[in-house]
Every structure is written in C-alpha cells, then in structure tokens.
Amino acid sequence: MSDLALTEAERTRILAKSALFDPPTAAMPDGRRDLVGLSREELAAELAAVGEPAFRAKQVWHWIYHQGVTDFARMSSIARPLQQKLAERFVVGRPDAVTVQTSADETRKFLFRFRDGQEAETVYIPDPVEDRGAVCISSQVGCTLSCRFCHTGTQTLVRNLGSAEIVGQFMAARDTYGEWPSPKGETPRLLSTIVLMGMGEPLYNYANVAKAMKIVMDNEGIALSRRRITLSTSGVVPMMDRAGQELGVNLAVSLHAVRDELRDELVPLNRKYPIKEVMAACRRYPTASNARRITFEYVMLKGVNDSEAEARELVRLIAGLPAKVNLIPFNPWPGSAYTPSSMSTVMKFAKIVNDAGFAAPVRQPRGRDILAACGQLRTESRRERARAAE
Ligand code: SF4
C-alpha cells in the first residue's frame, strides 16, 4: 500500500474506533429531540419532517445560535401555534452547570453534566489585558492518552462528547456572562476565543468536534472566525491533515519533549506517532503562516525536560516553521509525579528559544486555586463504556 493509502486506512480506523465511544442519542426521555448540535441540513430535515418549509430552519438557526434563545415562545418571528408545535417535538438544550467556581484571578471553571449523567469541565480564562478571553472546551469525558503530567489523563475515557455537548459548553458559558444580543442589538463579546484544550484528545473525537466547530463558525449564528479557534492535539498525525483541510482552525501541538525516548514516556501516543512524523504533519498543516503560527505546548518539568540542551534541540526541531512555543509552568495535582521547573530555569529555556527568533511566552498559571489550570481538569465521572481506544 502507498503512504497515502496507509494514511487513509489509519484515518478510517481512528474514526471507526472513535464512533464506538459516541454519546447516546439526542432524544430526551419524553421523546423530544434536541436541536442543538445538528448541522444546518439536519435541522432542516427535522423541521421538514414536521411539515415546515426550508426557510424555517434558517429562522430557528438564527434564534438558537445568534440570539441564544432556548425557549420557543421567545422566537418572536415564528407564529404562536408553530412555537407550540415545535416545543412539543423539540428542545433547545444546554448542559446543566453542576458547579461554577470563580478563581481569585477571575478564571471561571464550570462542571457540566450531560443528559446521561456524565460530566466534563470547561474553563473561561479572561485575558489579563484586554476585555475578552478564551473558553477552554472539553471534547471527551476522560481521555485515552494518559499523558504523565496531566490529571485528566488519570481518568479513563468514558465516552466522546457529542456535537451538542461541545457547542453546548460554549453556549452555556455565554449564558452565564449574558453574552447574547440585547434587545438593542448589542452583543458583548468577552468569550471571543475557543481553545480545544480541555479534557480529551479532540482528534480522537474528530467527527463530533468538526461538526461542533462548523456550527460555531457559521456566519448566521455564533460566527466565530476560524482564526479564533485553536485545536490542541497530542499528535494524532493522520487526523491533523484532515482537520487542517476541513476546518482550517489554528493548531497547537502538545510537544513537551524533544527526544522520542522521553516523549514516549510523557506523551505515550508518541510510540505510535513519533516526533519526526508529528513535525512533518505540522510542516504540511495548510493554514500555518506567520500570521497564524503553530503553537507548541511545552510543560516545564524540573530535571526532566528543562535543560538548555533540550531548548536548543527544540529550536532545531521547529526551525523554518511559523511557530511559537508556549512554556507552561507545571501545575501540580494530587499524586502527580513531577515538580515545576524553577522560574530561572524556565527563563533560560525561554531565552534560548527567543534568541532563535521564536516567541516563547511563559504561560501564567490561571485558576490554580480551583484546579482549573492547564492539565488539572478531572471529573469523577463513571466509567461505563471504557475500553482502550489504543
Ligand atoms: S494532555 Fe490532553 S491528551 Fe494528554 S492525557 Fe491530558 S487531556 Fe488527554
């Protein structure tokens, strides 16, 4: 088989395996169907099935995704009898916010519960300078990848989140900030960016993540630009190409080590897709440019991956790429095996990367007091259908 055919076969295998972990159907216990998370075509088909013309889908889409309305009775451009008919058959759902914690630095962590009782966390991280921020969204309940420095990785994969649950995290977070158009038509926009960096590996739930991001980017709804969405992967090489071609969002790669031997340990997926292949996929990534650099995430672990030699090797690996490196001070969690590098070590590392012409900001830990910082998310969700996906 050629390389291309092999990649295609691997992609098919990943998608088929991922589908085994898909969520239960969108139907409510009373048989009503959730309209959130459907593509435009699916929404039109649902409405056509109850005798509604195509333009109705456009109206309902606008109410759901532009106005943020969850009650059919508030869809004022739709006649009252039809509002009632829709309410009998459909819902516009949101995940339940079980807890909402706000950190001393204003970072806000949501624990969302979905219809089957499974839970995932979402974090809003305000920009310390500008009046806006990023929503860090989960793509799975638990994770298969067991990265050694990551608290989520200690929680076995339970299931994928569906497109409704992925979009729903963003919409429910916007609800709490009142971020839908006011009667005067003003739309506050604090939640201006999505980072798919919460629980789970988004590229192991590609179908649902892609559908959700297409909904979020739709111009007649939430209308978030692809430039404001960053998908973070541990390096699922065959799916990186596909995400680049189909979604064109920004790419972040959890690198964390520059030698295969160490990355095999820190990010076990490296045994399947080693550094060389991950870097080749980055070089092929279609939207990478100086304006839209690939971010390499690098958690700084004392005495493990933080030497000056490793900084120089990192520079060699990313040479020629439009890239930046996010240096992440390690956020300890109960039972973690590592300790954070000292700030002077982090600064020396950053200087070497900087001097080579790459931005290397040191990420300020946010929401540590509520365990909302990078790599700290974890829920006590039940393990129902956990099987090793790898
Ligand atoms: S870093 Fe990401 S991919 Fe790795 S275990 Fe944590 S959630 Fe999973």
Side-chain angles (χ1 to χ4, degrees), residues 143-147 149-154 198-201 234 254 256:
C143 189
T144 40
L145 293 187
S146 308
C147 300
F149 52 86
C150 173
H151 201 197
T152 312
T154 64
M199 299 167 63
E201 163 56 60
S234 295
S254 297
H256 309 304

Side-chain angles (χ1 to χ4, degrees), residues 54-55 69 79 117 136 145 170 174 227 270 302 306 317 355 371:
F55 76 85
V69 163
C136 178
L145 293 187
F170 185 70
R174 279 185 84 177
R227 294 166 183 272
N270 195 68
K302 186 175 183 178
D306 60 356
L317 278 179
D355 287 351
L371 283 184

Side-chain angles (χ1 to χ4, degrees), residues 267-296:
V267 184
L269 183 67
N270 195 68
R271 295 176 201 148
K272 194 166 187 67
Y273 306 115
I275 293 172
K276 194 171 164 209
E277 288 185 28
V278 173
M279 297 311 297
C282 290
R283 288 180 196 283
R284 293 192 297 268
Y285 197 74
T287 64
S289 67
N290 282 335
R292 297 180 66 192
R293 289 168 292 175
I294 295 176
T295 304
F296 291 91

Side-chain angles (χ1 to χ4, degrees), residues 242-261:
R242 178 138 177 208
Q245 283 152 12
E246 286 186 2
L247 302 177
V249 296
N250 302 328
L251 180 69
V253 174
S254 297
L255 192 63
H256 309 304
V258 292
R259 292 175 283 115
D260 280 325
E261 192 192 343

